[in-house]
Amino acid sequence: MDQSKTVALTKQLLRDYYEFGNIVDLRRLFTDDVVAFGIKSESYKKGPKAVEHFLRQMHRAMEACRINKMSCVAKVVDDGVTVRANVVYSTNERMRNMQQVLVMFRETPVGWMICGLHFQRDVRHELTYQMVSSQMLNRGEVGDGSMDEVMDMVSSYVNCAYVQYRPDTQLPMDYFSDELWRMLGYGSGGEFSASFQGYLEHIVHEQDLGPSRDEIRRQLFKGDSYQVEYRLRRHDGTYIWCMECGRYVLDKETGAGTFNAVVTNLSPLKQTHASFLYNLRHDRLTNLFNKKTFCRQTAEIIADHPDTEFEIMRFNIARFKVINDLFGEETGDKLLKYVAHFLKSIRLDACVYGRLYADNFILCYPTKGEVRQHLIHSLQMLAESFALDYRIDFYFGVYTIKDTTLSVTTMLDRAAMGLARAAHNGLVVCGEYDDDMRECIVNEQVIVNNMKSSLRRDEFLVYLQPKYELKTERIVGAEALVRWLHPQLGFISPARFIPIFEQNGFIYQLDKYVWEKTCQLLKDDIDHGRPVLPISINVSRIDLYSPNIVRVFESLVDRYEIPPKLLELELTESAYVENPQQIIEIAKELQAKGFPILMDDFGSGYSSLNMLKDMPVDILKIDLKFLSDKQGEDHGRGGNIMTSVVRMAKWLDVPVIAEGVETQAQVDFLRTIGCECVQGFFYSKPVPIEVYEDLVAKDHQLMEPRSGNNRA
Ligand code: C2E
Ligand code: CA
Ligand code: CA
């Protein structure tokens, strides 16, 4: 960052702030650089609450400048708060590099002192820090502050001292503040003076004295302020690195020149620098490498071992969110640290590991022997040893590095594809990347490229899958399921495109189309005096987040003049899990407007049975495939769950529809446990609308032969 610019901005900031007390205008100052600021002495005097308030206001003011984080070290001292420094992080896109500026300002007997410490990457991408501004401003240059208060504040900066001395005479210092002797470990000012008679030169490290004096001369030759670093001897004989920032002031009357300077103890700052670096490279929670560091280390290791084949592994914890929800975030954090602890204990040459985010961990290790199996096995054992009354599983994804020219980020992406395969499948613990997956991604692109035009050209069709009452085996309604028949690409399964549309948001447009078609159909049935049965539509999680969603459904049934009870809404269980409160609110509202709420895929994720009582649910849909490990297996665990769910639902007075019913055995079993309705290939696959209408008509004729077929 341009040094003079920072100084100017800081000056202006202080002026604005002190003179007008206004921070809204800060936005102007945060255009493309980082500026630092300090807290008004009045607010720190008012206590931590006032400081907090100030910071919050400040934060709001800065949001517009995309400064995403700020913090302040505030420490209560007696009645007030000592504000040591304010730190602003900027992630301004134009700046690219993360920057941090730390500014301290204080009033000295001659004026204001502003020191800015600026962290920046150097050409080798290492972080360095540098002082960007150190200015002595004359009193008149900034607004008035109460001198006493400000002096209090100055003394609270234990690591900074104000000094005044003559440059060209071998005289003791004219003035030094108490912080100087405190900083150097003396018990009192008297003790300090006695030990070196007040000559600053006597305590500067002999190797630094000459060079620093030369440097001051050199700088003063060009301007009126200077900044040098040297070591000062402490009382115990050890040295600390200090920085002297000062100005040469000429007394017009006497003609004597004086150095007015602030001596700052740099060691805490150097520590800050070290911890800043550490935080930048590590993940706070687990102390593992973060993504950036992982990538850099991995790239280095791969380059250093050209003859070794490596693998990138990613893994995450299945249903981690559930663990957080059920047992609290503290437990979730504990589990993450537990995993991190294990990773740190791996004794493997050329192995790098880190945490990507949340429950996503990453590893790079040489492909040899049984390393992968061993890691997977160890982690599984680890999961079992974690004391939690809940089953912990991991999903793994692996990419064997065949192409070392790829960036590590791309390699991680590939491992992620493997992971997604495992997580999707459920039975495979570890998915490995192969080039087919890439093809998958390419296909995904084809889907995305075609979706909009297909919607315009009516290439999406609504199919209906009838639902049957088990007792009578009559059709009691249907579920609307979308089908995509592309003239060139052919039939594309919803299981393939729905997840993609959910990701890119297109699902809302498509769903509205399906809802519209469904309402048209219901309206048509009513108008033609055909038997009218309710149809359920799928409401994606994404749909629920769109504002006015309740209004959308309302206006839909208004427009088509159909009673809302005919339009049943299927909400998947996982939608509830993600954001229970919000979804429950929306579902309640919809229910109150008369739309029946179906909970789809109950049992697929988790929502404990007792959560059901808080959720607005009119009908529960249970998919048989989620209940047993093997499809079609009705007995054992799956059967038991089904039995108890149906029993529980009955107790709560919620009817159950069993989905995915494929065999007679399943039908028989469902009958014995008292399940009301079924939907599945055993009775009917999803069929085009005309076919469905025929089925309903026939069903109607069969049961009520005299009512006739009213179809036009
Ligand atoms: P879903 O809502 O759980 O829909 C039921 C799925 O199970 C349908 O798959 C249906 O064809 C299938 N199915 C029905 N009976 C059986 C059976 O006996 N055996 C087996 N193996 N499967 C059966 P489909 O049509 O492929 O849809 C898959 C998923 O895509 C749906 O799961 C739903 O989540 C989503 N989806 C489908 N249409 C829409 C839509 O219009 N909007 C939204 N948002 N999602 C949709
Ligand atoms: Ca459904
Ligand atoms: Ca379902």
Side-chain angles (χ1 to χ4, degrees):
M1 183 160 43
D2 179 5
Q3 192 161 316
S4 61
K5 197 169 174 187
T6 312
V7 174
L9 285 172
T10 311
K11 264 195 207 175
Q12 189 181 354
L13 172 70
L14 283 178
R15 213 171 286 148
D16 276 24
Y17 186 54
Y18 272 82
E19 280 181 15
F20 312 113
N22 100 30
I23 59 162
V24 180
D25 259 348
L26 280 180
R27 224 170 286 180
R28 201 158 38 82
L29 300 173
F30 288 116
T31 45
D32 54 3
D33 281 323
V34 183
V35 198
F37 56 89
I39 284 184
K40 207 169 181 171
S41 48
E42 283 116 70
S43 45
Y44 85 75
K45 267 300 195 183
K46 282 180 203 144
K49 277 256 146 53
V51 173
E52 210 185 292
H53 176 72
F54 171 89
L55 288 176
R56 237 186 264 125
Q57 255 182 302
M58 203 61 136
H59 195 73
R60 228 171 288 140
M62 290 195 306
E63 259 166 12
C65 334
R66 301 226 217 128
I67 290 176
N68 66 349
K69 197 178 172 186
M70 55 167 293
S71 68
C72 160
V73 185
K75 201 175 113 198
V76 182
V77 175
D78 295 327
D79 59 334
V81 174
T82 306
V83 180
R84 290 181 185 280
N86 302 301
V87 184
V88 184
Y89 297 94
S90 158
T91 51
N92 195 308
E93 269 167 348
R94 258 189 286 170
M95 295 299 289
R96 287 291 164 131
N97 295 341
M98 183 171 160
Q99 309 220 4
Q100 188 191 40
V101 172
L102 195 144
V103 154
M104 294 169 284
F105 68 95
R106 61 193 61 89
E107 204 174 32
T108 67
V110 285
W112 287 86
M113 179 79 196
I114 305 164
C115 304
L117 189 69
H118 176 212
F119 291 105
Q120 198 178 24
R121 282 175 202 293
D122 63 15
V123 280
R124 284 165 46 238
H125 293 279
E126 282 301 316
L127 269 159
T128 53
Y129 69 83
Q130 64 185 122
M131 286 313 269
V132 286
S133 64
S134 67
Q135 285 286 301
M136 298 290 285
L137 304 177
N138 292 328
R139 277 198 68 86
E141 280 188 85
V142 283
D144 275 342
S146 148
M147 196 62 170
D148 288 347
E149 263 184 25
V150 178
M151 283 315 285
D152 275 359
M153 191 164 135
V154 172
S155 57
S156 69
Y157 285 103
V158 282
N159 289 311
C160 241
Y162 174 70
V163 297
Q164 209 171 33
Y165 64 98
R166 313 276 171 81
D168 30 21
T169 54
Q170 304 286 311
L171 289 172
M173 285 182 272
D174 292 343
Y175 173 87
F176 56 84
S177 61
D178 291 349
E179 290 73 48
L180 189 64
W181 53 261
R182 285 205 198 101
M183 196 161 92
L184 297 173
Y186 289 88
S188 70
E191 191 186 348
F192 177 61
S193 303
S195 81
F196 81 110
Q197 292 88 39
Y199 290 94
L200 187 61
E201 301 198 339
H202 289 187
I203 48 170
V204 177
H205 196 289
E206 58 177 73
Q207 284 172 12
D208 303 336
L209 186 62
S212 66
R213 291 289 167 252
D214 289 347
E215 182 60 24
I216 291 176
R217 261 191 293 277
R218 200 183 60 77
Q219 291 185 27
L220 287 180
F221 189 67
K222 291 194 274 176
D224 61 354
S225 62
Y226 64 87
Q227 171 191 316
V228 287
E229 285 185 24
Y230 48 66
R231 280 161 291 181
L232 282 187
R233 192 175 61 241
R234 284 171 50 91
H235 185 41
D236 61 9
T238 60
Y239 285 87
I240 49 169
W241 273 104
C242 289
M243 181 183 54
E244 181 182 324
C245 303
R247 215 155 93 130
Y248 183 66
V249 182
L250 204 64
D251 189 320
K252 290 206 181 79
E253 281 172 25
T254 62
T258 315
F259 282 159
N260 288 332
V262 166
V263 177
T264 308
N265 179 0
L266 283 185
S267 23
L269 293 178
K270 288 202 162 153
Q271 260 164 29
T272 310
H273 178 229
S275 75
F276 176 69
L277 270 187
Y278 186 86
N279 287 338
L280 207 72
R281 289 174 185 163
H282 293 79
D283 162 48
R284 275 279 182 78
L285 178 76
T286 61
N287 286 325
L288 296 179
F289 284 153
N290 58 20
K291 182 181 178 182
K292 236 185 208 149
T293 318
F294 175 87
C295 289
R296 201 177 50 216
Q297 299 274 15
T298 298
E300 266 172 31
I301 280 204
I302 294 171
D304 288 350
H305 299 78
D307 299 326
T308 310
E309 187 179 67
F310 286 90
E311 267 176 30
I312 296 267
M313 177 192 272
R314 263 174 95 127
F315 67 92
N316 65 18
I317 302 165
R319 304 171 303 274
F320 182 65
K321 186 167 178 340
V322 178
I323 296 173
N324 270 335
D325 283 355
L326 287 180
F327 303 97
E329 272 179 27
E330 224 170 88
T331 307
D333 284 355
K334 219 160 145 188
L335 177 57
L336 295 177
K337 285 188 205 160
Y338 197 69
V339 172
H341 184 76
F342 163 77
L343 292 179
K344 286 176 203 161
S345 73
I346 296 175
R347 298 278 165 262
L348 240 171
D349 279 346
C351 172
V352 190
Y353 47 83
R355 181 167 84 128
L356 208 51
Y357 58 88
D359 58 325
N360 286 268
F361 293 90
I362 39 186
L363 283 142
C364 174
Y365 52 86
T367 313
K368 62 172 181 220
E370 306 259 281
V371 175
R372 186 197 306 177
Q373 282 68 26
H374 185 73
L375 282 169
I376 292 175
H377 181 69
S378 309
L379 274 156
Q380 282 168 334
M381 299 289 286
L382 185 86
E384 277 170 35
S385 67
F386 188 72
L388 194 66
D389 201 9
Y390 188 84
R391 194 191 147 90
I392 297 166
D393 294 304
F394 292 103
Y395 288 126
F396 300 86
V398 169
Y399 167 60
T400 308
I401 303 173
K402 299 284 182 206
D403 181 356
T404 52
T405 62
L406 293 174
S407 73
V408 179
T409 315
T410 308
M411 296 174 184
L412 283 172
D413 287 345
R414 293 193 168 184
M417 288 183 222
L419 178 73
R421 175 178 279 186
H424 249 70
N425 185 303
L427 296 175
V428 184
V429 172
C430 178
E432 191 163 4
Y433 169 87
D434 56 47
D435 287 331
D436 290 353
M437 286 186 181
R438 233 194 47 231
E439 206 169 295
C440 246
I441 302 287
V442 174
N443 291 339
E444 203 174 302
Q445 203 47 50
V446 172
I447 285 180
V448 173
N449 293 345
N450 282 282
M451 61 189 190
K452 284 189 183 143
S453 54
S454 272
L455 189 62
R456 270 199 308 274
R457 291 194 230 117
D458 274 337
E459 284 160 9
F460 287 101
L461 306 171
V462 175
Y463 270 44
L464 294 169
Q465 185 176 34
K467 297 170 187 170
Y468 292 81
E469 186 184 45
L470 255 183
K471 204 162 64 193
T472 59
E473 299 206 310
R474 292 194 63 189
I475 299 175
V476 288
E479 172 177 6
L481 293 158
V482 72
R483 295 290 176 262
W484 189 359
L485 204 65
H486 192 278
Q488 281 86 47
L489 304 169
F491 175 79
I492 309 169
S493 158
R496 264 191 63 206
F497 62 80
I498 297 279
I500 299 172
F501 292 172
E502 283 185 334
Q503 255 176 26
N504 65 19
F506 184 67
I507 191 70
Y508 187 46
Q509 265 164 280
L510 180 61
D511 275 346
K512 282 201 289 197
Y513 175 83
V514 173
W515 304 341
E516 196 88 32
K517 290 272 170 208
T518 306
C519 288
Q520 265 170 25
L521 171 72
L522 286 167
K523 170 75 173 153
D524 215 40
D525 283 344
I526 295 172
D527 286 353
H528 289 87
R530 288 176 216 142
V532 186
L533 300 172
I535 299 180
S536 62
I537 50 175
N538 287 286
V539 180
S540 160
R541 190 171 45 88
I542 315 300
D543 303 335
L544 292 169
Y545 289 125
S546 81
N548 313 324
I549 187 69
V550 179
R551 227 9 256 136
V552 168
F553 284 119
E554 263 189 311
S555 71
L556 204 58
V557 291
D558 281 354
R559 217 156 8 100
Y560 287 95
E561 299 170 302
I562 50 175
K565 69 167 196 290
L566 289 180
L567 195 65
E568 300 177 330
L569 312 180
E570 295 201 6
L571 274 57
T572 58
E573 188 211 53
S574 54
Y576 283 94
V577 173
E578 215 168 81
N579 197 345
Q581 232 27 63
Q582 194 183 347
I583 305 295
I584 287 174
E585 291 302 307
I586 296 171
K588 274 189 180 151
E589 228 179 299
L590 288 165
Q591 197 185 37
K593 305 265 184 221
F595 298 97
I597 306 293
L598 277 63
M599 190 187 278
D600 201 1
D601 300 345
F602 184 78
S604 60
Y606 97 107
S607 50
S608 49
L609 279 167
N610 69 32
M611 268 172 81
L612 264 183
K613 65 181 179 342
D614 304 321
M615 295 178 176
V617 177
D618 297 299
I619 298 170
L620 213 55
K621 292 190 83 175
I622 306 173
D623 197 322
L624 293 185
K625 78 166 177 277
F626 293 129
L627 293 178
S628 49
D629 290 341
K630 274 185 245 120
Q631 273 194 21
E633 184 199 350
D634 303 327
H635 306 291
R637 211 170 81 96
N640 284 339
I641 295 175
M642 190 71 196
T643 312
S644 56
V645 169
V646 171
R647 196 180 299 144
M648 177 79 175
K650 273 202 175 346
W651 183 68
L652 290 166
D653 217 12
V654 180
V656 172
I657 298 180
E659 270 190 288
V661 178
E662 290 179 340
T663 65
Q664 180 69 51
Q666 287 173 325
V667 173
D668 294 342
F669 169 72
L670 291 166
R671 275 217 175 89
T672 61
I673 63 167
C675 175
E676 287 93 349
C677 293
V678 288
Q679 177 187 342
F681 294 173
F682 183 73
Y683 286 98
S684 171
K685 290 197 169 189
V687 292
I689 292 172
E690 311 77 54
V691 178
Y692 170 72
E693 300 216 306
D694 281 347
L695 284 174
V696 175
K698 276 199 198 111
D699 196 45
H700 218 69
Q701 268 175 337
L702 262 175
M703 302 306 288
E704 291 160 65
R706 268 166 303 143
S707 72
N709 186 348
N710 291 329
R711 297 191 60 171

